[in-house]
Amino acid sequence: MKNWLFLGVAIVAEVVATSALKSSDGFSRLMPSIVVVVGYVLAFYFLSLTLKVIPIGVAYAIWAGLGIVLIALVSWVIYGQKLDLPAIAGMTLIIAGVAVINLFSRTAGH
């Protein structure tokens, strides 16, 4: 169970780091740049902890899929970036894919 918590922390850290990447303005602003570096270090550290139990393909699919959806939501809320119907449909399919992996795959390491 803690491995799934570690994966969740990795996802959140990656989303925070990627969100700060835009604010870093090409690493020209100090504080957002620090958030980017610390966020990615934490993301990869916690992802590496999950790989002790969760297969890399499953962990990465969940990490990347949920990261895409969460970054799109953060971009919409914080930066006002619009999501059109095809983007929303695609993200819905990503969420469905993550759900299928978690609910039905024997590979998921449950």
Side-chain angles (χ1 to χ4, degrees):
M1 185 66 169
K2 72 178 178 181
N3 297 301
W4 293 102
L5 177 63
F6 290 160
L7 184 56
V9 171
I11 292 166
V12 170
E14 187 267 335
V15 168
V16 169
T18 301
S19 299
L21 193 57
K22 180 168 176 58
S23 299
S24 77
D25 196 27
F27 287 100
S28 65
R29 298 180 57 220
L30 181 61
M31 289 311 294
S33 297
I34 290 171
V35 172
V36 170
V37 172
V38 171
Y40 282 130
V41 167
L42 287 172
F44 283 107
Y45 172 73
F46 280 98
L47 180 62
S48 74
L49 294 178
T50 68
L51 299 180
K52 292 179 179 182
V53 174
I54 302 170
I56 190 169
V58 172
Y60 194 76
I62 294 168
W63 184 52
L66 292 180
I68 289 167
V69 172
L70 291 173
I71 284 296
L73 292 174
V74 166
S75 297
W76 175 58
V77 171
I78 294 177
Y79 300 112
Q81 296 176 354
K82 305 292 184 222
L83 298 173
D84 59 8
L85 187 58
I88 293 169
M91 284 184 251
T92 301
L93 291 171
I94 290 170
I95 292 169
V98 169
V100 167
I101 289 169
N102 280 302
L103 294 173
F104 303 110
S105 176
R106 293 184 186 142
T107 310
H110 294 247

